[in-house]
Amino acid sequence: MLKGGCQCGSVRYEMSENVKHHALCHCRDCRLSAGAPLVAWAMVEKGDLKIDGETQSYQSSENVTRMFCGTCGTGLFYVNEVVFPGMVDIQSATLDDPDDLPMQLHVQLAEGIGWMKTAHELPQFERYPG
């Protein structure tokens, strides 16, 4: 089992390592929800996720419910019963050790930000540059 949680620790979870996919999503809805250029998602069957703590929910579109910590605001889970029945996506950057789960693919690149195509070419620093 993999473990993770929100920034403040109010919500903790355990999830199976048996993921259907582990993807970086570039869609506009994920970007707006996270305030980031992409979001990492690991999808498991609902029965393979155990949540300890209370989450808040937001219906971000007709079929989508996003869950987050009501205390610190960390985005955690995504459910779309029409497209992914019986499944839940977990924001895998919230895992205690995200490197425990290898990334598999990028999705929704049609909605991606143009500058993400060359982001890996920008100068890189181990910490904030002085």
Side-chain angles (χ1 to χ4, degrees), residues 37-38 113-124:
L38 54 84
I113 299 171
W115 47 256
M116 283 299 295
K117 293 175 185 169
T118 57
H120 64 282
E121 298 172 9
L122 296 171
Q124 298 181 22

Side-chain angles (χ1 to χ4, degrees), residues 23-87:
L24 295 169
C25 185
H26 296 257
C27 82
R28 179 170 165 70
D29 286 344
C30 283
R31 292 194 334 257
L32 290 176
S33 175
L38 54 84
V39 178
W41 294 105
M43 182 177 284
V44 298
E45 293 183 19
K46 284 186 178 179
D48 288 341
L49 173 65
K50 178 186 170 198
I51 301 170
D52 182 25
E54 294 295 320
T55 60
Q56 298 291 313
S57 296
Y58 170 68
Q59 189 167 354
S60 62
S61 62
E62 183 179 354
N63 301 312
V64 173
T65 301
R66 294 172 185 271
M67 288 146 275
F68 58 95
C69 173
T71 303
C72 67
T74 300
L76 295 163
F77 313 114
Y78 168 106
V79 174
N80 183 332
E81 285 296 335
V82 173
V83 178
F84 305 114
M87 307 299 286

